[in-house]
Amino acid sequence: MLFLIILILSFASGYFLPWWIVAVISFLTALFIGTTAKSSFWQAFVAVLIVWVVLALFKSVPNDHIMATRIAHLFHLPGWAYILVVTGVLGGLVGGMSALSGLLLKRAFQKH
């Protein structure tokens, strides 16, 4: 459930809001419905990774990956696909760490 909510909200907001909104979405979603640390981190990581790669492809495919290729050359990478991998992993880390933070905040205020 956490995966789907983060995936849908991040994808929908990716067109209109700044990039860091995925951190807020992941944090709040894990705060309210997160269960375990491992599950929250990995579900958010994979959801945001997928969203960022798909959104990057939506921007890159219409122009034949010209900008992605130039950025790849700037970072001494062999091709534009590596930029997609880096983008996805960075986004996944932002989402995963935010979800983990949300879950840990929830646990900090729970009564034992």
Side-chain angles (χ1 to χ4, degrees), residues 59-73:
K59 300 285 185 180
S60 187
V61 168
N63 69 10
D64 292 327
H65 312 290
I66 293 170
M67 182 184 245
T69 303
R70 289 182 181 177
I71 293 172
H73 290 298

PDB file of all heavy atoms in Angstrom, residues 59-73:
ATOM      1  N   LYS A  59      10.785  13.358 -20.538  1.00  0.00           N
ATOM      2  CA  LYS A  59      11.453  14.589 -20.976  1.00  0.00           C
ATOM      3  C   LYS A  59      12.533  14.313 -22.022  1.00  0.00           C
ATOM      4  O   LYS A  59      12.800  15.142 -22.882  1.00  0.00           O
ATOM      5  CB  LYS A  59      12.104  15.296 -19.780  1.00  0.00           C
ATOM      6  CG  LYS A  59      11.148  15.692 -18.695  1.00  0.00           C
ATOM      7  CD  LYS A  59      10.346  16.880 -19.097  1.00  0.00           C
ATOM      8  CE  LYS A  59       9.479  17.320 -17.923  1.00  0.00           C
ATOM      9  NZ  LYS A  59       8.686  18.461 -18.249  1.00  0.00           N
ATOM     10  N   SER A  60      13.169  13.153 -21.948  1.00  0.00           N
ATOM     11  CA  SER A  60      14.324  12.871 -22.780  1.00  0.00           C
ATOM     12  C   SER A  60      13.988  12.262 -24.139  1.00  0.00           C
ATOM     13  O   SER A  60      14.681  12.534 -25.119  1.00  0.00           O
ATOM     14  CB  SER A  60      15.272  11.930 -22.024  1.00  0.00           C
ATOM     15  OG  SER A  60      16.462  11.750 -22.718  1.00  0.00           O
ATOM     16  N   VAL A  61      12.969  11.453 -24.212  1.00  0.00           N
ATOM     17  CA  VAL A  61      12.632  10.775 -25.471  1.00  0.00           C
ATOM     18  C   VAL A  61      12.233  11.746 -26.582  1.00  0.00           C
ATOM     19  O   VAL A  61      12.706  11.597 -27.715  1.00  0.00           O
ATOM     20  CB  VAL A  61      11.542   9.701 -25.236  1.00  0.00           C
ATOM     21  CG1 VAL A  61      10.955   9.196 -26.537  1.00  0.00           C
ATOM     22  CG2 VAL A  61      12.114   8.546 -24.434  1.00  0.00           C
ATOM     23  N   PRO A  62      11.417  12.760 -26.322  1.00  0.00           N
ATOM     24  CA  PRO A  62      11.018  13.652 -27.422  1.00  0.00           C
ATOM     25  C   PRO A  62      12.170  14.387 -28.096  1.00  0.00           C
ATOM     26  O   PRO A  62      12.070  14.750 -29.264  1.00  0.00           O
ATOM     27  CB  PRO A  62      10.064  14.649 -26.765  1.00  0.00           C
ATOM     28  CG  PRO A  62       9.546  13.956 -25.570  1.00  0.00           C
ATOM     29  CD  PRO A  62      10.666  13.075 -25.101  1.00  0.00           C
ATOM     30  N   ASN A  63      13.276  14.604 -27.399  1.00  0.00           N
ATOM     31  CA  ASN A  63      14.398  15.307 -28.030  1.00  0.00           C
ATOM     32  C   ASN A  63      15.562  14.365 -28.350  1.00  0.00           C
ATOM     33  O   ASN A  63      16.703  14.813 -28.460  1.00  0.00           O
ATOM     34  CB  ASN A  63      14.854  16.494 -27.180  1.00  0.00           C
ATOM     35  CG  ASN A  63      15.503  16.081 -25.885  1.00  0.00           C
ATOM     36  OD1 ASN A  63      15.799  14.916 -25.659  1.00  0.00           O
ATOM     37  ND2 ASN A  63      15.727  17.045 -25.020  1.00  0.00           N
ATOM     38  N   ASP A  64      15.272  13.074 -28.487  1.00  0.00           N
ATOM     39  CA  ASP A  64      16.277  12.060 -28.840  1.00  0.00           C
ATOM     40  C   ASP A  64      17.460  12.033 -27.880  1.00  0.00           C
ATOM     41  O   ASP A  64      18.598  11.789 -28.282  1.00  0.00           O
ATOM     42  CB  ASP A  64      16.779  12.262 -30.276  1.00  0.00           C
ATOM     43  CG  ASP A  64      15.699  11.975 -31.301  1.00  0.00           C
ATOM     44  OD1 ASP A  64      14.859  11.094 -31.030  1.00  0.00           O
ATOM     45  OD2 ASP A  64      15.706  12.631 -32.346  1.00  0.00           O
ATOM     46  N   HIS A  65      17.220  12.300 -26.635  1.00  0.00           N
ATOM     47  CA  HIS A  65      18.209  12.197 -25.560  1.00  0.00           C
ATOM     48  C   HIS A  65      19.410  13.129 -25.751  1.00  0.00           C
ATOM     49  O   HIS A  65      20.509  12.842 -25.280  1.00  0.00           O
ATOM     50  CB  HIS A  65      18.700  10.760 -25.421  1.00  0.00           C
ATOM     51  CG  HIS A  65      17.611   9.747 -25.388  1.00  0.00           C
ATOM     52  ND1 HIS A  65      16.751   9.628 -24.330  1.00  0.00           N
ATOM     53  CD2 HIS A  65      17.219   8.816 -26.306  1.00  0.00           C
ATOM     54  CE1 HIS A  65      15.892   8.654 -24.582  1.00  0.00           C
ATOM     55  NE2 HIS A  65      16.152   8.155 -25.776  1.00  0.00           N
ATOM     56  N   ILE A  66      19.197  14.237 -26.425  1.00  0.00           N
ATOM     57  CA  ILE A  66      20.309  15.158 -26.681  1.00  0.00           C
ATOM     58  C   ILE A  66      20.875  15.723 -25.381  1.00  0.00           C
ATOM     59  O   ILE A  66      22.089  15.680 -25.145  1.00  0.00           O
ATOM     60  CB  ILE A  66      19.867  16.299 -27.618  1.00  0.00           C
ATOM     61  CG1 ILE A  66      19.553  15.740 -29.002  1.00  0.00           C
ATOM     62  CG2 ILE A  66      20.940  17.375 -27.701  1.00  0.00           C
ATOM     63  CD1 ILE A  66      18.877  16.738 -29.927  1.00  0.00           C
ATOM     64  N   MET A  67      20.005  16.248 -24.520  1.00  0.00           N
ATOM     65  CA  MET A  67      20.488  16.841 -23.273  1.00  0.00           C
ATOM     66  C   MET A  67      21.075  15.771 -22.343  1.00  0.00           C
ATOM     67  O   MET A  67      22.117  15.991 -21.727  1.00  0.00           O
ATOM     68  CB  MET A  67      19.375  17.601 -22.556  1.00  0.00           C
ATOM     69  CG  MET A  67      19.843  18.270 -21.289  1.00  0.00           C
ATOM     70  SD  MET A  67      18.490  19.028 -20.433  1.00  0.00           S
ATOM     71  CE  MET A  67      18.972  20.715 -20.549  1.00  0.00           C
ATOM     72  N   ALA A  68      20.413  14.625 -22.251  1.00  0.00           N
ATOM     73  CA  ALA A  68      20.921  13.553 -21.395  1.00  0.00           C
ATOM     74  C   ALA A  68      22.290  13.075 -21.867  1.00  0.00           C
ATOM     75  O   ALA A  68      23.176  12.779 -21.048  1.00  0.00           O
ATOM     76  CB  ALA A  68      19.936  12.393 -21.371  1.00  0.00           C
ATOM     77  N   THR A  69      22.501  13.020 -23.171  1.00  0.00           N
ATOM     78  CA  THR A  69      23.797  12.624 -23.716  1.00  0.00           C
ATOM     79  C   THR A  69      24.865  13.654 -23.375  1.00  0.00           C
ATOM     80  O   THR A  69      25.992  13.298 -22.998  1.00  0.00           O
ATOM     81  CB  THR A  69      23.704  12.440 -25.243  1.00  0.00           C
ATOM     82  OG1 THR A  69      22.695  11.465 -25.518  1.00  0.00           O
ATOM     83  CG2 THR A  69      25.018  11.996 -25.828  1.00  0.00           C
ATOM     84  N   ARG A  70      24.530  14.923 -23.482  1.00  0.00           N
ATOM     85  CA  ARG A  70      25.497  15.976 -23.147  1.00  0.00           C
ATOM     86  C   ARG A  70      25.858  15.953 -21.664  1.00  0.00           C
ATOM     87  O   ARG A  70      27.023  16.159 -21.300  1.00  0.00           O
ATOM     88  CB  ARG A  70      24.943  17.341 -23.532  1.00  0.00           C
ATOM     89  CG  ARG A  70      24.906  17.537 -25.031  1.00  0.00           C
ATOM     90  CD  ARG A  70      24.409  18.902 -25.398  1.00  0.00           C
ATOM     91  NE  ARG A  70      24.360  19.046 -26.856  1.00  0.00           N
ATOM     92  CZ  ARG A  70      23.922  20.108 -27.475  1.00  0.00           C
ATOM     93  NH1 ARG A  70      23.485  21.144 -26.780  1.00  0.00           N
ATOM     94  NH2 ARG A  70      23.911  20.158 -28.786  1.00  0.00           N
ATOM     95  N   ILE A  71      24.874  15.720 -20.824  1.00  0.00           N
ATOM     96  CA  ILE A  71      25.148  15.641 -19.387  1.00  0.00           C
ATOM     97  C   ILE A  71      25.988  14.407 -19.078  1.00  0.00           C
ATOM     98  O   ILE A  71      26.893  14.448 -18.243  1.00  0.00           O
ATOM     99  CB  ILE A  71      23.833  15.658 -18.584  1.00  0.00           C
ATOM    100  CG1 ILE A  71      23.158  17.022 -18.735  1.00  0.00           C
ATOM    101  CG2 ILE A  71      24.089  15.364 -17.109  1.00  0.00           C
ATOM    102  CD1 ILE A  71      21.769  17.099 -18.162  1.00  0.00           C
ATOM    103  N   ALA A  72      25.714  13.308 -19.760  1.00  0.00           N
ATOM    104  CA  ALA A  72      26.516  12.097 -19.572  1.00  0.00           C
ATOM    105  C   ALA A  72      27.975  12.353 -19.951  1.00  0.00           C
ATOM    106  O   ALA A  72      28.893  11.930 -19.236  1.00  0.00           O
ATOM    107  CB  ALA A  72      25.942  10.955 -20.412  1.00  0.00           C
ATOM    108  N   HIS A  73      28.195  13.058 -21.042  1.00  0.00           N
ATOM    109  CA  HIS A  73      29.568  13.389 -21.442  1.00  0.00           C
ATOM    110  C   HIS A  73      30.217  14.339 -20.436  1.00  0.00           C
ATOM    111  O   HIS A  73      31.416  14.237 -20.177  1.00  0.00           O
ATOM    112  CB  HIS A  73      29.593  14.006 -22.841  1.00  0.00           C
ATOM    113  CG  HIS A  73      29.262  13.038 -23.912  1.00  0.00           C
ATOM    114  ND1 HIS A  73      30.014  11.918 -24.185  1.00  0.00           N
ATOM    115  CD2 HIS A  73      28.237  13.007 -24.790  1.00  0.00           C
ATOM    116  CE1 HIS A  73      29.485  11.242 -25.178  1.00  0.00           C
ATOM    117  NE2 HIS A  73      28.382  11.884 -25.564  1.00  0.00           N
TER     118      HIS A  73
END
